[in-house]
Amino acid sequence: MRLPAPGQRVRIEWVDITAYINEPLSAAKLSNCWNEGVLAKKTKEYVVLASGQYEGDEKDPVGDYCCIPVGVIKKVRRLK
């Protein structure tokens, strides 16, 4: 999968782990999820989306982040 460069606004569709307690086996399935934000970081193992950042240190910005493993990503779309 080809990921855009950091700094781009994206929508990432991915599959999340779910847990079921005292439920029938037929109910157990993965959850389809999506997140939108600025691609803050990408590595071989995971991507980091920023939904918000605070003024301050530009070398290590403080913000609200979501870290998603590359292996669970189904689709990435750039947003305008």
Side-chain angles (χ1 to χ4, degrees), residues 4 14-15 27-28 30 33 36 38 40 42 53 58-59 62-64 66 76 78:
W14 56 287
V15 180
L30 297 172
C33 305
E36 292 181 356
V38 174
K42 67 178 184 177
Q53 289 183 325
E58 291 182 21
K59 291 183 181 179
V62 174
D64 303 321
C66 179
V76 178
R78 286 186 206 177

Side-chain angles (χ1 to χ4, degrees), residues 12-26:
I12 296 181
E13 296 177 16
W14 56 287
V15 180
D16 198 6
I17 296 167
T18 55
Y20 294 86
I21 299 170
N22 199 24
E23 295 285 338
L25 177 60
S26 60

Side-chain angles (χ1 to χ4, degrees), residues 5-78:
Q8 303 280 324
R9 284 195 69 233
V10 294
R11 176 185 172 110
I12 296 181
E13 296 177 16
W14 56 287
V15 180
D16 198 6
I17 296 167
T18 55
Y20 294 86
I21 299 170
N22 199 24
E23 295 285 338
L25 177 60
S26 60
K29 62 180 182 173
L30 297 172
S31 295
N32 293 314
C33 305
W34 60 268
N35 285 79
E36 292 181 356
V38 174
L39 185 59
K41 179 180 179 178
K42 67 178 184 177
T43 73
K44 290 181 180 180
E45 293 86 26
Y46 62 92
V47 299
V48 179
L49 286 184
S51 58
Q53 289 183 325
Y54 302 90
E55 290 183 8
D57 186 359
E58 291 182 21
K59 291 183 181 179
D60 194 15
V62 174
D64 303 321
Y65 302 108
C66 179
C67 186
I68 303 171
V70 170
V72 300
I73 296 174
K74 294 169 53 177
K75 184 178 180 181
V76 178
R77 183 172 44 125
R78 286 186 206 177

